[in-house]
């Protein structure tokens, strides 16, 4: 496994691989790996001849009061884990390499970024799409793999790729969870106290309840949201940011669950902001 820190070197390695007819698979990450990241890498290994993983904690996707500085980082551990799943190249640039001092270009997807996490984090997705567009130009992948855990991010990137006619196949992979159902996240390390860890599970439990209601035929989004709120409110340390029932492609709120639906939520457990979601195909109304 090779580690590359400069844009030029990464581009020349990718150009060479393309000339040789190799399929480049790419997994962009911010590091501090867990099984969720590894599942994307395994899929990349299956799909590509050259598997590139980037590790870059992207400053432009963090708001001014967010955790950019203290975001967990451990390159030695990450590179060992990546090597074990068969990654060929880790692209590991520093901030100056990605954003030279005269950088002034941003990519903004306007509609699907408005609601959900975009409401509280107004510049977040612009940071994500900008860095992913850069990374696509640097790594030149044929296929890029993202997690459904960050559902709005996945939809936003799919929209960007369509709108900008980028020649990259974007693949979404299911959320990997802890044994009890908590969605894996690098930010789970912030859940230091056992009672916070327990409270965090209520996100998953509320989505389970939503699934149960939908399977029983409940179609009213409002009724589903109310039931989810009850579960989250039973944990005093949980503060709901949003619970939304949306069309899974447009991310617009819907009143009735029809077609491809995603139920997404964000909540604070103490000071830690967590997200989770549940996507499904609702049976048409008869
Ligand atoms: P991050 O390092 O948090 O920016 O995540 C890098 C990639 O891993 C993104 O595509 C995420 O959606 C994906 N990811 C994060 N957590 C999970 C998870 N629990 N299961 C599957 N994919 C995940």
């Amino acid at each position: 496994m090779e580690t590359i820190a400069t844009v030029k070197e990464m581009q020349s390695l990718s150009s060479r691989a393309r000339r040789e007819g190799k399929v480049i698979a790419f997994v962009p990450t911010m590091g501090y790996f867990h099984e969720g990241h590894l599942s994307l890498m395994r899929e990349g290994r299956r799909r590509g001849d050259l598997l590139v993983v980037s590790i870059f904690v992207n400053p432009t996707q963090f708001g001014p009061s967010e955790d950019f500085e203290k975001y967990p980082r451990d390159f030695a551990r990450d590179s060992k884990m990546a090597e074990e799943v068969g990654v060929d190249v880790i692209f590991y640039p520093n901030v100056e390499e990605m954003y030279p001092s005269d950088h002034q270009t941003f990519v903004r997807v306007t509609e699907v970024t408005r609601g959900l996490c975009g409401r509280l984090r107004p510049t977040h997705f612009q940071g994500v799409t900008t860095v992913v567009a850069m990374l696509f130009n640097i790594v030149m992948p044929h296929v890029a793999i993202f997690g459904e855990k960050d559902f709005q991010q996945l939809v936003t990137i799919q929209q960007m790729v369509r709108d900008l006619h980028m020649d990259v196949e974007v693949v979404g992979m299911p959320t990997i969870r802890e044994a009890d159902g908590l969605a894996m996240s690098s930010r789970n390390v912030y859940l230091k106290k056992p009672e916070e860890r327990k409270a965090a599970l209520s996100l998953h439990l509320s989505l389970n309840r939503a699934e149960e209601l939908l399977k029983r035929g409940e179609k009213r989004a409002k009724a589903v949201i109310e039931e989810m709120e009850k579960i989250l409110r039973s944990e005093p340390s949980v503060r709901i940011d949003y619970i939304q029932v949306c069309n899974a492609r447009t991310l617009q709120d819907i009143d009735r669950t029809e077609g491809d639906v995603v139920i997404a939520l964000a909540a604070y457990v103490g000071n830690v902001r967590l997200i989770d979601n549940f996507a499904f195909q609702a049976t048409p109304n008869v």
Side-chain angles (χ1 to χ4, degrees), residues 27-40 54-57 61 71 128 145-151 153-154 157 171 173-178 182-188 275:
V27 180
T29 80
M30 300 207 297
Y32 211 73
F33 294 155
H34 51 66
E35 272 301 317
H37 296 112
L38 300 184
S39 74
L40 307 188
S54 63
I55 300 179
F56 180 62
V57 183
Q61 72 189 69
Y71 193 85
V128 170
I145 301 154
F146 294 84
E148 288 171 4
K149 153 87 181 359
D150 300 280
F151 199 88
Q153 169 172 284
L154 173 61
I157 287 162
V171 173
M173 294 292 290
T175 301
I176 303 295
R177 298 176 180 281
E178 303 287 354
L182 177 69
M184 288 193 183
S185 163
S186 305
R187 289 191 168 101
N188 289 353
I275 58 172

Side-chain angles (χ1 to χ4, degrees), residues 146-215:
F146 294 84
E148 288 171 4
K149 153 87 181 359
D150 300 280
F151 199 88
Q152 190 175 16
Q153 169 172 284
L154 173 61
V155 170
T156 301
I157 287 162
Q158 283 167 333
Q159 187 73 45
M160 172 185 80
V161 163
R162 277 200 302 278
D163 290 351
L164 298 182
H165 307 288
M166 291 174 160
D167 191 13
V168 181
E169 182 189 356
V170 173
V171 173
M173 294 292 290
T175 301
I176 303 295
R177 298 176 180 281
E178 303 287 354
D180 63 0
L182 177 69
M184 288 193 183
S185 163
S186 305
R187 289 191 168 101
N188 289 353
V189 290
Y190 299 149
L191 301 168
K192 293 221 163 65
K193 298 182 201 143
E195 57 272 25
E196 286 174 347
R197 175 63 183 76
K198 179 183 160 285
L201 191 58
S202 63
L203 276 76
H204 176 62
L205 296 177
S206 73
L207 288 166
N208 275 354
R209 177 76 181 129
E211 182 177 7
E212 202 178 285
L213 289 169
L214 292 163
K215 281 191 175 150

